[in-house]
């Protein structure tokens, strides 16, 4: 399977714990995006990488959130001191980033439940 | 700033009848627009995209959308609904450099037998 993969698929954690999610994009894609989706809503943009550079961050991304993409391959999203409001589906997407192929390909998501 | 408004949160049609899912956009420049579908417990899948080429865009599974600048609309249509079309549909607009994508709140399509 050469699609976008995310790990884990589900994560249950207690409030105050730190969690880290991983995203592996399609191999030739240089752009990688993170989104958060809560029940009944559309995905909300969190952050964007071009290769290893983080070029955009949403104001939704508080200081407790950090994302990395070392070497421009996989990416990690860490949430420190989780809160119940962080419960959501975290989606990763990748794209080629050329005008003829700007569409994003999404992974299956990581569902986070904070108890 | 860019945004999209999906005018209906729920649409219900009978199998074999036409589908119309409405989307209006706001953009300070000529936008790029997309429709994605999300089936229950499945990932988001691209249906079609508009990036300033032909205004009538054909996508997968018989869906199409027409970009109408004068109406700032990008409605999704299908001539004949199938049971397998039941899902949630998202209209999306990107910023100029495709660095950020803005999703609508979604329209849940129900298809009755």
């Amino acid at each position: 399977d050469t699609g976008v993969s995310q790990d884990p698929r589900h994560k249950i954690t207690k409030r105050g714990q730190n969690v880290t999610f991983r995203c592996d994009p399609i191999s030739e894609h240089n752009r990688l995006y993170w989104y958060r989706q809560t029940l009944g809503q559309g995905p909300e943009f969190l952050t964007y990488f071009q290769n290893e550079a983080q070029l955009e961050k949403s104001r939704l991304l508080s200081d407790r959130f950090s994302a990395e993409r070392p070497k421009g391959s996989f990416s990690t999203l860490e949430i420190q001191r989780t809160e119940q409001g962080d419960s959501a589906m975290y989606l990763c997407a990748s794209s080629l980033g050329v005008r003829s192929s700007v569409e994003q390909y999404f992974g299956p998501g990581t569902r986070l439940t904070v108890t | 700033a860019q945004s999209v408004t999906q005018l209906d949160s729920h649409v219900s049609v009978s199998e074999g009848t036409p589908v119309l899912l409405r989307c209006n956009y706001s953009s300070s420049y000529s936008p790029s627009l997309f429709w994605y579908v999300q089936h229950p417990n499945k990932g988001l899948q691209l249906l079609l995209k508009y990036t300033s080429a032909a205004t009538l865009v054909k996508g997968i599974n018989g869906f199409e959308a027409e970009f109408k600048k004068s109406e700032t609309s990008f409605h999704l249509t299908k001539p004949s609904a199938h049971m397998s079309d039941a899902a949630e549909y998202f209209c999306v607009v990107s910023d100029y450099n495709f660095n950020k994508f803005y999703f609508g709140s979604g329209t849940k399509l129900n298809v009755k037998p």
Side-chain angles (χ1 to χ4, degrees), chain B residues 3-99:
Chain B
S3 67
V4 290
T5 302
Q6 292 185 242
L7 299 164
D8 306 293
S9 58
H10 290 82
V11 169
S12 186
V13 300
S14 296
E15 191 175 21
T17 64
V19 175
L20 170 64
L21 305 182
R22 300 183 294 166
C23 173
N24 285 109
Y25 69 88
S26 173
S27 178
S28 50
Y29 44 78
S30 187
S32 292
L33 294 155
F34 309 79
W35 276 98
Y36 281 83
V37 61
Q38 189 173 38
H39 287 92
N41 301 314
K42 295 269 182 81
L44 285 154
Q45 181 184 17
L46 178 72
L47 278 177
L48 49 80
K49 65 178 179 181
Y50 167 77
T51 54
S52 75
T55 56
L56 182 62
V57 181
K58 293 188 185 298
I60 61 171
N61 301 334
F63 284 95
E64 61 182 39
E66 186 171 8
F67 173 72
K68 290 188 176 180
K69 186 175 180 179
S70 60
E71 299 176 11
T72 61
S73 69
F74 190 58
H75 300 335
L76 182 70
T77 60
K78 183 173 180 178
S80 176
H82 192 272
M83 295 298 292
S84 61
D85 295 328
E88 189 158 23
Y89 293 78
F90 294 97
C91 182
V92 184
V93 65
S94 73
D95 70 359
Y96 185 75
N97 294 315
F98 309 104
N99 292 352

Side-chain angles (χ1 to χ4, degrees), chain A residues 18-34:
Chain A
N18 299 344
V19 294
T20 300
F21 310 140
R22 178 180 169 121
C23 170
D24 286 273
I26 294 172
S27 58
E28 63 268 27
H29 285 185
N30 60 0
R31 293 186 173 216
L32 187 146
Y33 306 79
W34 284 99

Side-chain angles (χ1 to χ4, degrees), chain A residues 54-66:
Chain A
Q54 187 175 20
L55 298 183
E56 291 279 357
K57 280 177 67 170
S58 166
R59 283 177 228 145
L60 291 173
L61 218 63
S62 76
D63 292 345
R64 297 184 297 106
F65 287 71
S66 62

